[in-house]
PDB file of all heavy atoms in Angstrom:
ATOM      1  N   GLN L1009     -54.371  51.296  34.832  1.00 92.00           N
ATOM      2  CA  GLN L1009     -53.579  50.450  33.946  1.00 92.00           C
ATOM      3  C   GLN L1009     -54.146  49.029  33.832  1.00 92.00           C
ATOM      4  O   GLN L1009     -53.493  48.131  33.288  1.00 92.00           O
ATOM      5  CB  GLN L1009     -52.131  50.381  34.453  1.00 92.00           C
ATOM      6  CG  GLN L1009     -51.415  51.714  34.468  1.00 92.00           C
ATOM      7  CD  GLN L1009     -51.015  52.178  33.085  1.00 92.00           C
ATOM      8  OE1 GLN L1009     -51.157  51.453  32.117  1.00 92.00           O
ATOM      9  NE2 GLN L1009     -50.512  53.403  32.978  1.00 92.00           N
ATOM     10  N   GLY L1010     -55.361  48.812  34.356  1.00 91.00           N
ATOM     11  CA  GLY L1010     -55.966  47.492  34.265  1.00 91.00           C
ATOM     12  C   GLY L1010     -55.375  46.485  35.227  1.00 91.00           C
ATOM     13  O   GLY L1010     -55.447  45.272  34.994  1.00 91.00           O
ATOM     14  N   LEU L1011     -54.820  46.969  36.345  1.00 93.00           N
ATOM     15  CA  LEU L1011     -54.211  46.104  37.349  1.00 93.00           C
ATOM     16  C   LEU L1011     -54.821  46.402  38.711  1.00 93.00           C
ATOM     17  O   LEU L1011     -55.609  47.337  38.864  1.00 93.00           O
ATOM     18  CB  LEU L1011     -52.688  46.324  37.401  1.00 93.00           C
ATOM     19  CG  LEU L1011     -51.917  46.059  36.115  1.00 93.00           C
ATOM     20  CD1 LEU L1011     -50.499  46.610  36.220  1.00 93.00           C
ATOM     21  CD2 LEU L1011     -51.878  44.565  35.803  1.00 93.00           C
ATOM     22  N   GLY L1012     -54.465  45.598  39.694  1.00 91.00           N
ATOM     23  CA  GLY L1012     -54.967  45.823  41.044  1.00 91.00           C
ATOM     24  C   GLY L1012     -54.088  45.139  42.071  1.00 91.00           C
ATOM     25  O   GLY L1012     -53.183  44.368  41.735  1.00 91.00           O
ATOM     26  N   LEU L1013     -54.369  45.433  43.344  1.00 90.00           N
ATOM     27  CA  LEU L1013     -53.628  44.839  44.449  1.00 90.00           C
ATOM     28  C   LEU L1013     -54.494  43.826  45.177  1.00 90.00           C
ATOM     29  O   LEU L1013     -55.671  44.068  45.445  1.00 90.00           O
ATOM     30  CB  LEU L1013     -53.181  45.913  45.445  1.00 90.00           C
ATOM     31  CG  LEU L1013     -52.013  46.819  45.071  1.00 90.00           C
ATOM     32  CD1 LEU L1013     -51.691  47.743  46.240  1.00 90.00           C
ATOM     33  CD2 LEU L1013     -50.790  46.020  44.668  1.00 90.00           C
ATOM     34  N   ALA L1014     -53.907  42.685  45.496  1.00 88.00           N
ATOM     35  CA  ALA L1014     -54.553  41.683  46.335  1.00 88.00           C
ATOM     36  C   ALA L1014     -53.637  41.436  47.523  1.00 88.00           C
ATOM     37  O   ALA L1014     -52.467  41.075  47.345  1.00 88.00           O
ATOM     38  CB  ALA L1014     -54.800  40.388  45.560  1.00 88.00           C
ATOM     39  N   ALA L1015     -54.153  41.661  48.724  1.00 85.00           N
ATOM     40  CA  ALA L1015     -53.338  41.517  49.933  1.00 85.00           C
ATOM     41  C   ALA L1015     -53.496  40.119  50.507  1.00 85.00           C
ATOM     42  O   ALA L1015     -54.598  39.581  50.603  1.00 85.00           O
ATOM     43  CB  ALA L1015     -53.746  42.560  50.965  1.00 85.00           C
ATOM     44  N   SER L1016     -52.386  39.524  50.872  1.00 81.00           N
ATOM     45  CA  SER L1016     -52.400  38.236  51.559  1.00 81.00           C
ATOM     46  C   SER L1016     -51.433  38.334  52.729  1.00 81.00           C
ATOM     47  O   SER L1016     -50.385  38.987  52.631  1.00 81.00           O
ATOM     48  CB  SER L1016     -51.992  37.098  50.619  1.00 81.00           C
ATOM     49  OG  SER L1016     -50.702  37.333  50.074  1.00 81.00           O
ATOM     50  N   GLY L1017     -51.794  37.711  53.843  1.00 73.00           N
ATOM     51  CA  GLY L1017     -50.978  37.848  55.041  1.00 73.00           C
ATOM     52  C   GLY L1017     -50.375  36.541  55.503  1.00 73.00           C
ATOM     53  O   GLY L1017     -50.854  35.452  55.179  1.00 73.00           O
ATOM     54  N   ASP L1018     -49.279  36.657  56.241  1.00 62.00           N
ATOM     55  CA  ASP L1018     -48.654  35.515  56.881  1.00 62.00           C
ATOM     56  C   ASP L1018     -48.109  35.980  58.227  1.00 62.00           C
ATOM     57  O   ASP L1018     -48.355  37.111  58.652  1.00 62.00           O
ATOM     58  CB  ASP L1018     -47.546  34.911  56.006  1.00 62.00           C
ATOM     59  CG  ASP L1018     -46.504  35.940  55.594  1.00 62.00           C
ATOM     60  OD1 ASP L1018     -46.309  36.920  56.343  1.00 62.00           O
ATOM     61  OD2 ASP L1018     -45.877  35.774  54.533  1.00 62.00           O
ATOM     62  N   GLU L1019     -47.362  35.107  58.894  1.00 56.00           N
ATOM     63  CA  GLU L1019     -46.853  35.461  60.209  1.00 56.00           C
ATOM     64  C   GLU L1019     -45.836  36.600  60.152  1.00 56.00           C
ATOM     65  O   GLU L1019     -45.525  37.227  61.170  1.00 56.00           O
ATOM     66  CB  GLU L1019     -46.216  34.235  60.875  1.00 56.00           C
ATOM     67  CG  GLU L1019     -44.980  33.672  60.175  1.00 56.00           C
ATOM     68  CD  GLU L1019     -45.321  32.772  59.000  1.00 56.00           C
ATOM     69  OE1 GLU L1019     -46.536  32.595  58.738  1.00 56.00           O
ATOM     70  OE2 GLU L1019     -44.394  32.239  58.370  1.00 56.00           O
ATOM     71  N   GLN L1020     -45.330  36.912  58.967  1.00 64.00           N
ATOM     72  CA  GLN L1020     -44.345  37.971  58.829  1.00 64.00           C
ATOM     73  C   GLN L1020     -44.942  39.285  58.330  1.00 64.00           C
ATOM     74  O   GLN L1020     -44.235  40.256  58.155  1.00 64.00           O
ATOM     75  CB  GLN L1020     -43.235  37.522  57.872  1.00 64.00           C
ATOM     76  CG  GLN L1020     -42.439  36.328  58.377  1.00 64.00           C
ATOM     77  CD  GLN L1020     -41.330  35.926  57.418  1.00 64.00           C
ATOM     78  OE1 GLN L1020     -41.309  36.373  56.278  1.00 64.00           O
ATOM     79  NE2 GLN L1020     -40.425  35.095  57.894  1.00 64.00           N
ATOM     80  N   GLY L1021     -46.255  39.301  58.094  1.00 72.00           N
ATOM     81  CA  GLY L1021     -46.893  40.532  57.657  1.00 72.00           C
ATOM     82  C   GLY L1021     -47.674  40.355  56.376  1.00 72.00           C
ATOM     83  O   GLY L1021     -47.961  39.243  55.940  1.00 72.00           O
ATOM     84  N   THR L1022     -48.034  41.473  55.768  1.00 85.00           N
ATOM     85  CA  THR L1022     -48.867  41.490  54.567  1.00 85.00           C
ATOM     86  C   THR L1022     -48.011  41.600  53.312  1.00 85.00           C
ATOM     87  O   THR L1022     -47.039  42.350  53.278  1.00 85.00           O
ATOM     88  CB  THR L1022     -49.849  42.671  54.617  1.00 85.00           C
ATOM     89  OG1 THR L1022     -50.664  42.559  55.783  1.00 85.00           O
ATOM     90  CG2 THR L1022     -50.746  42.688  53.385  1.00 85.00           C
ATOM     91  N   VAL L1023     -48.403  40.834  52.304  1.00 90.00           N
ATOM     92  CA  VAL L1023     -47.768  40.896  50.990  1.00 90.00           C
ATOM     93  C   VAL L1023     -48.820  41.346  49.978  1.00 90.00           C
ATOM     94  O   VAL L1023     -49.937  40.821  49.973  1.00 90.00           O
ATOM     95  CB  VAL L1023     -47.181  39.532  50.578  1.00 90.00           C
ATOM     96  CG1 VAL L1023     -46.626  39.599  49.162  1.00 90.00           C
ATOM     97  CG2 VAL L1023     -46.108  39.093  51.554  1.00 90.00           C
ATOM     98  N   TYR L1024     -48.473  42.320  49.148  1.00 92.00           N
ATOM     99  CA  TYR L1024     -49.386  42.835  48.139  1.00 92.00           C
ATOM    100  C   TYR L1024     -48.989  42.283  46.771  1.00 92.00           C
ATOM    101  O   TYR L1024     -47.871  42.500  46.310  1.00 92.00           O
ATOM    102  CB  TYR L1024     -49.364  44.359  48.119  1.00 92.00           C
ATOM    103  CG  TYR L1024     -49.918  44.987  49.375  1.00 92.00           C
ATOM    104  CD1 TYR L1024     -49.073  45.321  50.433  1.00 92.00           C
ATOM    105  CD2 TYR L1024     -51.282  45.228  49.512  1.00 92.00           C
ATOM    106  CE1 TYR L1024     -49.576  45.887  51.589  1.00 92.00           C
ATOM    107  CE2 TYR L1024     -51.792  45.792  50.661  1.00 92.00           C
ATOM    108  CZ  TYR L1024     -50.936  46.118  51.694  1.00 92.00           C
ATOM    109  OH  TYR L1024     -51.439  46.680  52.851  1.00 92.00           O
ATOM    110  N   LYS L1025     -49.931  41.574  46.154  1.00 93.00           N
ATOM    111  CA  LYS L1025     -49.693  41.016  44.826  1.00 93.00           C
ATOM    112  C   LYS L1025     -50.286  41.938  43.767  1.00 93.00           C
ATOM    113  O   LYS L1025     -51.463  42.311  43.848  1.00 93.00           O
ATOM    114  CB  LYS L1025     -50.319  39.620  44.726  1.00 93.00           C
ATOM    115  CG  LYS L1025     -49.671  38.595  45.632  1.00 93.00           C
ATOM    116  CD  LYS L1025     -50.278  37.216  45.456  1.00 93.00           C
ATOM    117  CE  LYS L1025     -51.670  37.150  46.034  1.00 93.00           C
ATOM    118  NZ  LYS L1025     -52.220  35.774  45.977  1.00 93.00           N
ATOM    119  N   VAL L1026     -49.483  42.298  42.787  1.00 95.00           N
ATOM    120  CA  VAL L1026     -49.951  43.110  41.664  1.00 95.00           C
ATOM    121  C   VAL L1026     -50.380  42.166  40.552  1.00 95.00           C
ATOM    122  O   VAL L1026     -49.567  41.431  39.996  1.00 95.00           O
ATOM    123  CB  VAL L1026     -48.838  44.053  41.158  1.00 95.00           C
ATOM    124  CG1 VAL L1026     -49.352  44.907  40.007  1.00 95.00           C
ATOM    125  CG2 VAL L1026     -48.324  44.932  42.292  1.00 95.00           C
ATOM    126  N   ILE L1027     -51.679  42.159  40.254  1.00 93.00           N
ATOM    127  CA  ILE L1027     -52.201  41.206  39.280  1.00 93.00           C
ATOM    128  C   ILE L1027     -53.201  41.898  38.354  1.00 93.00           C
ATOM    129  O   ILE L1027     -53.754  42.951  38.702  1.00 93.00           O
ATOM    130  CB  ILE L1027     -52.888  40.000  39.961  1.00 93.00           C
ATOM    131  CG1 ILE L1027     -53.992  40.478  40.906  1.00 93.00           C
ATOM    132  CG2 ILE L1027     -51.875  39.163  40.733  1.00 93.00           C
ATOM    133  CD1 ILE L1027     -54.716  39.349  41.589  1.00 93.00           C
ATOM    134  N   PRO L1028     -53.448  41.328  37.161  1.00 93.00           N
ATOM    135  CA  PRO L1028     -54.439  41.904  36.250  1.00 93.00           C
ATOM    136  C   PRO L1028     -55.828  41.948  36.877  1.00 93.00           C
ATOM    137  O   PRO L1028     -56.191  41.101  37.692  1.00 93.00           O
ATOM    138  CB  PRO L1028     -54.402  40.955  35.040  1.00 93.00           C
ATOM    139  CG  PRO L1028     -53.040  40.331  35.095  1.00 93.00           C
ATOM    140  CD  PRO L1028     -52.727  40.199  36.551  1.00 93.00           C
ATOM    141  N   GLU L1029     -56.591  42.961  36.484  1.00 89.00           N
ATOM    142  CA  GLU L1029     -57.936  43.159  37.034  1.00 89.00           C
ATOM    143  C   GLU L1029     -58.801  41.907  36.937  1.00 89.00           C
ATOM    144  O   GLU L1029     -59.534  41.571  37.861  1.00 89.00           O
ATOM    145  CB  GLU L1029     -58.633  44.302  36.277  1.00 89.00           C
ATOM    146  CG  GLU L1029     -58.839  45.529  37.110  1.00 89.00           C
ATOM    147  CD  GLU L1029     -59.607  46.595  36.348  1.00 89.00           C
ATOM    148  OE1 GLU L1029     -59.823  46.446  35.134  1.00 89.00           O
ATOM    149  OE2 GLU L1029     -59.976  47.584  36.975  1.00 89.00           O
ATOM    150  N   GLY L1030     -58.728  41.221  35.799  1.00 86.00           N
ATOM    151  CA  GLY L1030     -59.594  40.075  35.574  1.00 86.00           C
ATOM    152  C   GLY L1030     -59.362  38.923  36.529  1.00 86.00           C
ATOM    153  O   GLY L1030     -60.225  38.051  36.671  1.00 86.00           O
ATOM    154  N   LYS L1031     -58.212  38.904  37.203  1.00 89.00           N
ATOM    155  CA  LYS L1031     -57.896  37.816  38.126  1.00 89.00           C
ATOM    156  C   LYS L1031     -58.114  38.195  39.586  1.00 89.00           C
ATOM    157  O   LYS L1031     -57.900  37.371  40.475  1.00 89.00           O
ATOM    158  CB  LYS L1031     -56.448  37.369  37.928  1.00 89.00           C
ATOM    159  CG  LYS L1031     -56.159  36.813  36.541  1.00 89.00           C
ATOM    160  CD  LYS L1031     -54.711  36.366  36.406  1.00 89.00           C
ATOM    161  CE  LYS L1031     -54.429  35.796  35.029  1.00 89.00           C
ATOM    162  NZ  LYS L1031     -53.015  35.357  34.888  1.00 89.00           N
ATOM    163  N   LEU L1032     -58.536  39.430  39.842  1.00 88.00           N
ATOM    164  CA  LEU L1032     -58.665  39.889  41.224  1.00 88.00           C
ATOM    165  C   LEU L1032     -59.721  39.119  41.997  1.00 88.00           C
ATOM    166  O   LEU L1032     -59.544  38.798  43.173  1.00 88.00           O
ATOM    167  CB  LEU L1032     -58.994  41.386  41.240  1.00 88.00           C
ATOM    168  CG  LEU L1032     -57.834  42.350  41.013  1.00 88.00           C
ATOM    169  CD1 LEU L1032     -58.335  43.784  40.940  1.00 88.00           C
ATOM    170  CD2 LEU L1032     -56.794  42.203  42.098  1.00 88.00           C
ATOM    171  N   LYS L1033     -60.857  38.832  41.336  1.00 85.00           N
ATOM    172  CA  LYS L1033     -61.960  38.180  42.060  1.00 85.00           C
ATOM    173  C   LYS L1033     -61.630  36.764  42.499  1.00 85.00           C
ATOM    174  O   LYS L1033     -62.288  36.214  43.381  1.00 85.00           O
ATOM    175  CB  LYS L1033     -63.231  38.191  41.208  1.00 85.00           C
ATOM    176  CG  LYS L1033     -63.898  39.547  41.151  1.00 85.00           C
ATOM    177  CD  LYS L1033     -65.306  39.498  40.625  1.00 85.00           C
ATOM    178  CE  LYS L1033     -65.367  39.151  39.174  1.00 85.00           C
ATOM    179  NZ  LYS L1033     -66.738  39.284  38.615  1.00 85.00           N
ATOM    180  N   SER L1034     -60.623  36.150  41.895  1.00 85.00           N
ATOM    181  CA  SER L1034     -60.234  34.794  42.291  1.00 85.00           C
ATOM    182  C   SER L1034     -59.301  34.808  43.502  1.00 85.00           C
ATOM    183  O   SER L1034     -58.947  33.750  44.029  1.00 85.00           O
ATOM    184  CB  SER L1034     -59.545  34.079  41.128  1.00 85.00           C
ATOM    185  OG  SER L1034     -58.336  34.738  40.769  1.00 85.00           O
ATOM    186  N   GLN L1035     -58.931  36.005  43.951  1.00 85.00           N
ATOM    187  CA  GLN L1035     -58.065  36.138  45.111  1.00 85.00           C
ATOM    188  C   GLN L1035     -58.901  36.176  46.398  1.00 85.00           C
ATOM    189  O   GLN L1035     -60.092  36.480  46.370  1.00 85.00           O
ATOM    190  CB  GLN L1035     -57.234  37.422  45.003  1.00 85.00           C
ATOM    191  CG  GLN L1035     -56.357  37.482  43.764  1.00 85.00           C
ATOM    192  CD  GLN L1035     -55.306  36.391  43.747  1.00 85.00           C
ATOM    193  OE1 GLN L1035     -54.603  36.166  44.717  1.00 85.00           O
ATOM    194  NE2 GLN L1035     -55.195  35.712  42.615  1.00 85.00           N
ATOM    195  N   PRO L1036     -58.299  35.874  47.557  1.00 82.00           N
ATOM    196  CA  PRO L1036     -59.033  35.948  48.832  1.00 82.00           C
ATOM    197  C   PRO L1036     -59.276  37.399  49.242  1.00 82.00           C
ATOM    198  O   PRO L1036     -58.477  38.005  49.968  1.00 82.00           O
ATOM    199  CB  PRO L1036     -58.091  35.231  49.815  1.00 82.00           C
ATOM    200  CG  PRO L1036     -56.733  35.376  49.215  1.00 82.00           C
ATOM    201  CD  PRO L1036     -56.928  35.354  47.724  1.00 82.00           C
ATOM    202  N   LEU L1037     -60.375  37.971  48.759  1.00 85.00           N
ATOM    203  CA  LEU L1037     -60.678  39.374  49.018  1.00 85.00           C
ATOM    204  C   LEU L1037     -61.200  39.569  50.435  1.00 85.00           C
ATOM    205  O   LEU L1037     -61.859  38.679  50.988  1.00 85.00           O
ATOM    206  CB  LEU L1037     -61.730  39.873  48.016  1.00 85.00           C
ATOM    207  CG  LEU L1037     -61.368  39.767  46.535  1.00 85.00           C
ATOM    208  CD1 LEU L1037     -62.543  40.219  45.683  1.00 85.00           C
ATOM    209  CD2 LEU L1037     -60.129  40.582  46.223  1.00 85.00           C
ATOM    210  N   PRO L1038     -60.952  40.726  51.036  1.00 85.00           N
ATOM    211  CA  PRO L1038     -61.526  41.012  52.361  1.00 85.00           C
ATOM    212  C   PRO L1038     -63.040  41.120  52.279  1.00 85.00           C
ATOM    213  O   PRO L1038     -63.582  41.639  51.301  1.00 85.00           O
ATOM    214  CB  PRO L1038     -60.877  42.342  52.748  1.00 85.00           C
ATOM    215  CG  PRO L1038     -60.445  42.949  51.452  1.00 85.00           C
ATOM    216  CD  PRO L1038     -60.089  41.820  50.548  1.00 85.00           C
ATOM    217  N   ILE L1039     -63.728  40.609  53.295  1.00 88.00           N
ATOM    218  CA  ILE L1039     -65.193  40.576  53.317  1.00 88.00           C
ATOM    219  C   ILE L1039     -65.705  41.506  54.419  1.00 88.00           C
ATOM    220  O   ILE L1039     -65.208  41.479  55.549  1.00 88.00           O
ATOM    221  CB  ILE L1039     -65.709  39.144  53.544  1.00 88.00           C
ATOM    222  CG1 ILE L1039     -65.238  38.236  52.398  1.00 88.00           C
ATOM    223  CG2 ILE L1039     -67.229  39.131  53.637  1.00 88.00           C
ATOM    224  CD1 ILE L1039     -65.625  36.780  52.588  1.00 88.00           C
ATOM    225  N   PHE L1040     -66.713  42.307  54.073  1.00 91.00           N
ATOM    226  CA  PHE L1040     -67.300  43.255  55.015  1.00 91.00           C
ATOM    227  C   PHE L1040     -68.812  43.053  55.061  1.00 91.00           C
ATOM    228  O   PHE L1040     -69.410  42.540  54.117  1.00 91.00           O
ATOM    229  CB  PHE L1040     -66.983  44.697  54.597  1.00 91.00           C
ATOM    230  CG  PHE L1040     -65.511  45.016  54.574  1.00 91.00           C
ATOM    231  CD1 PHE L1040     -64.743  44.758  53.437  1.00 91.00           C
ATOM    232  CD2 PHE L1040     -64.894  45.569  55.672  1.00 91.00           C
ATOM    233  CE1 PHE L1040     -63.392  45.047  53.410  1.00 91.00           C
ATOM    234  CE2 PHE L1040     -63.533  45.866  55.653  1.00 91.00           C
ATOM    235  CZ  PHE L1040     -62.786  45.604  54.531  1.00 91.00           C
ATOM    236  N   THR L1041     -69.421  43.475  56.157  1.00 88.00           N
ATOM    237  CA  THR L1041     -70.868  43.443  56.304  1.00 88.00           C
ATOM    238  C   THR L1041     -71.399  44.873  56.301  1.00 88.00           C
ATOM    239  O   THR L1041     -70.638  45.836  56.169  1.00 88.00           O
ATOM    240  CB  THR L1041     -71.280  42.734  57.605  1.00 88.00           C
ATOM    241  OG1 THR L1041     -70.787  43.494  58.728  1.00 88.00           O
ATOM    242  CG2 THR L1041     -70.683  41.330  57.665  1.00 88.00           C
ATOM    243  N   GLN L1042     -72.721  45.019  56.475  1.00 83.00           N
ATOM    244  CA  GLN L1042     -73.309  46.352  56.501  1.00 83.00           C
ATOM    245  C   GLN L1042     -72.735  47.199  57.633  1.00 83.00           C
ATOM    246  O   GLN L1042     -72.581  48.410  57.496  1.00 83.00           O
ATOM    247  CB  GLN L1042     -74.830  46.227  56.660  1.00 83.00           C
ATOM    248  CG  GLN L1042     -75.529  45.814  55.367  1.00 83.00           C
ATOM    249  CD  GLN L1042     -76.970  45.424  55.595  1.00 83.00           C
ATOM    250  OE1 GLN L1042     -77.254  44.541  56.390  1.00 83.00           O
ATOM    251  NE2 GLN L1042     -77.875  46.071  54.896  1.00 83.00           N
ATOM    252  N   GLU L1043     -72.421  46.563  58.743  1.00 85.00           N
ATOM    253  CA  GLU L1043     -71.912  47.297  59.894  1.00 85.00           C
ATOM    254  C   GLU L1043     -70.461  47.741  59.694  1.00 85.00           C
ATOM    255  O   GLU L1043     -69.950  48.564  60.467  1.00 85.00           O
ATOM    256  CB  GLU L1043     -72.007  46.451  61.165  1.00 85.00           C
ATOM    257  CG  GLU L1043     -73.434  46.178  61.640  1.00 85.00           C
ATOM    258  CD  GLU L1043     -74.158  45.158  60.770  1.00 85.00           C
ATOM    259  OE1 GLU L1043     -73.451  44.365  60.085  1.00 85.00           O
ATOM    260  OE2 GLU L1043     -75.399  45.159  60.760  1.00 85.00           O
ATOM    261  N   ASP L1044     -69.799  47.206  58.679  1.00 86.00           N
ATOM    262  CA  ASP L1044     -68.377  47.495  58.472  1.00 86.00           C
ATOM    263  C   ASP L1044     -68.131  48.574  57.425  1.00 86.00           C
ATOM    264  O   ASP L1044     -66.997  48.739  56.964  1.00 86.00           O
ATOM    265  CB  ASP L1044     -67.635  46.217  58.016  1.00 86.00           C
ATOM    266  CG  ASP L1044     -67.725  45.117  59.048  1.00 86.00           C
ATOM    267  OD1 ASP L1044     -67.788  45.429  60.246  1.00 86.00           O
ATOM    268  OD2 ASP L1044     -67.736  43.938  58.649  1.00 86.00           O
ATOM    269  N   LEU L1045     -69.156  49.317  57.036  1.00 81.00           N
ATOM    270  CA  LEU L1045     -69.008  50.271  55.939  1.00 81.00           C
ATOM    271  C   LEU L1045     -67.904  51.286  56.227  1.00 81.00           C
ATOM    272  O   LEU L1045     -67.129  51.645  55.340  1.00 81.00           O
ATOM    273  CB  LEU L1045     -70.335  50.994  55.686  1.00 81.00           C
ATOM    274  CG  LEU L1045     -70.370  51.960  54.497  1.00 81.00           C
ATOM    275  CD1 LEU L1045     -70.045  51.236  53.209  1.00 81.00           C
ATOM    276  CD2 LEU L1045     -71.728  52.649  54.406  1.00 81.00           C
ATOM    277  N   ASP L1046     -67.799  51.733  57.468  1.00 83.00           N
ATOM    278  CA  ASP L1046     -66.782  52.727  57.819  1.00 83.00           C
ATOM    279  C   ASP L1046     -65.377  52.127  57.857  1.00 83.00           C
ATOM    280  O   ASP L1046     -64.387  52.863  57.944  1.00 83.00           O
ATOM    281  CB  ASP L1046     -67.103  53.361  59.175  1.00 83.00           C
ATOM    282  CG  ASP L1046     -68.381  54.196  59.133  1.00 83.00           C
ATOM    283  OD1 ASP L1046     -68.727  54.677  58.035  1.00 83.00           O
ATOM    284  OD2 ASP L1046     -69.029  54.346  60.182  1.00 83.00           O
ATOM    285  N   SER L1047     -65.289  50.800  57.830  1.00 85.00           N
ATOM    286  CA  SER L1047     -63.986  50.132  57.898  1.00 85.00           C
ATOM    287  C   SER L1047     -63.428  49.776  56.528  1.00 85.00           C
ATOM    288  O   SER L1047     -62.342  49.196  56.440  1.00 85.00           O
ATOM    289  CB  SER L1047     -64.108  48.848  58.744  1.00 85.00           C
ATOM    290  OG  SER L1047     -64.572  49.135  60.041  1.00 85.00           O
ATOM    291  N   LEU L1048     -64.154  50.115  55.470  1.00 86.00           N
ATOM    292  CA  LEU L1048     -63.673  49.809  54.126  1.00 86.00           C
ATOM    293  C   LEU L1048     -62.356  50.541  53.848  1.00 86.00           C
ATOM    294  O   LEU L1048     -62.153  51.661  54.324  1.00 86.00           O
ATOM    295  CB  LEU L1048     -64.707  50.234  53.081  1.00 86.00           C
ATOM    296  CG  LEU L1048     -65.982  49.402  52.978  1.00 86.00           C
ATOM    297  CD1 LEU L1048     -66.950  50.061  52.007  1.00 86.00           C
ATOM    298  CD2 LEU L1048     -65.678  47.991  52.535  1.00 86.00           C
ATOM    299  N   PRO L1049     -61.445  49.921  53.090  1.00 81.00           N
ATOM    300  CA  PRO L1049     -60.199  50.611  52.729  1.00 81.00           C
ATOM    301  C   PRO L1049     -60.504  51.897  51.966  1.00 81.00           C
ATOM    302  O   PRO L1049     -61.533  52.028  51.311  1.00 81.00           O
ATOM    303  CB  PRO L1049     -59.486  49.595  51.834  1.00 81.00           C
ATOM    304  CG  PRO L1049     -60.101  48.280  52.154  1.00 81.00           C
ATOM    305  CD  PRO L1049     -61.514  48.555  52.540  1.00 81.00           C
ATOM    306  N   LYS L1050     -59.602  52.853  52.040  1.00 76.00           N
ATOM    307  CA  LYS L1050     -59.820  54.141  51.391  1.00 76.00           C
ATOM    308  C   LYS L1050     -59.463  54.114  49.910  1.00 76.00           C
ATOM    309  O   LYS L1050     -59.970  54.922  49.140  1.00 76.00           O
ATOM    310  CB  LYS L1050     -58.992  55.221  52.097  1.00 76.00           C
ATOM    311  CG  LYS L1050     -59.422  55.495  53.528  1.00 76.00           C
ATOM    312  CD  LYS L1050     -58.578  56.595  54.147  1.00 76.00           C
ATOM    313  CE  LYS L1050     -59.002  56.867  55.578  1.00 76.00           C
ATOM    314  NZ  LYS L1050     -58.186  57.940  56.207  1.00 76.00           N
ATOM    315  N   GLY L1051     -58.606  53.217  49.505  1.00 74.00           N
ATOM    316  CA  GLY L1051     -58.113  53.221  48.131  1.00 74.00           C
ATOM    317  C   GLY L1051     -58.966  52.414  47.175  1.00 74.00           C
ATOM    318  O   GLY L1051     -60.077  51.986  47.497  1.00 74.00           O
ATOM    319  N   ASP L1052     -58.406  52.187  45.983  1.00 81.00           N
ATOM    320  CA  ASP L1052     -59.094  51.430  44.940  1.00 81.00           C
ATOM    321  C   ASP L1052     -58.736  49.960  45.036  1.00 81.00           C
ATOM    322  O   ASP L1052     -58.163  49.384  44.117  1.00 81.00           O
ATOM    323  CB  ASP L1052     -58.721  51.981  43.558  1.00 81.00           C
ATOM    324  CG  ASP L1052     -59.335  53.346  43.308  1.00 81.00           C
ATOM    325  OD1 ASP L1052     -60.507  53.523  43.650  1.00 81.00           O
ATOM    326  OD2 ASP L1052     -58.641  54.227  42.797  1.00 81.00           O
TER     327      ASP L1052
END
């Protein structure tokens, strides 16, 4: 549907923001290295 989830956390847990695809990259995305390939989320 041209949307996506951006997760942000606080002391009370994780909040998932539903936002348009074009704005996803401006969100604080999780960062992984080559060694973290197996730790990538399973979803989209």
Side-chain angles (χ1 to χ4, degrees):
Q1009 298 285 353
L1011 300 167
L1013 285 184
S1016 58
D1018 55 28
E1019 64 279 0
Q1020 296 181 347
T1022 301
V1023 175
Y1024 293 93
K1025 294 183 288 185
V1026 181
I1027 56 179
E1029 249 184 351
K1031 298 181 179 180
L1032 281 175
K1033 285 195 291 188
S1034 63
Q1035 301 297 312
L1037 301 177
I1039 299 176
F1040 298 87
T1041 64
Q1042 284 168 304
E1043 292 74 22
D1044 299 329
L1045 184 59
D1046 294 334
S1047 302
L1048 288 174
K1050 294 181 180 180
D1052 289 317

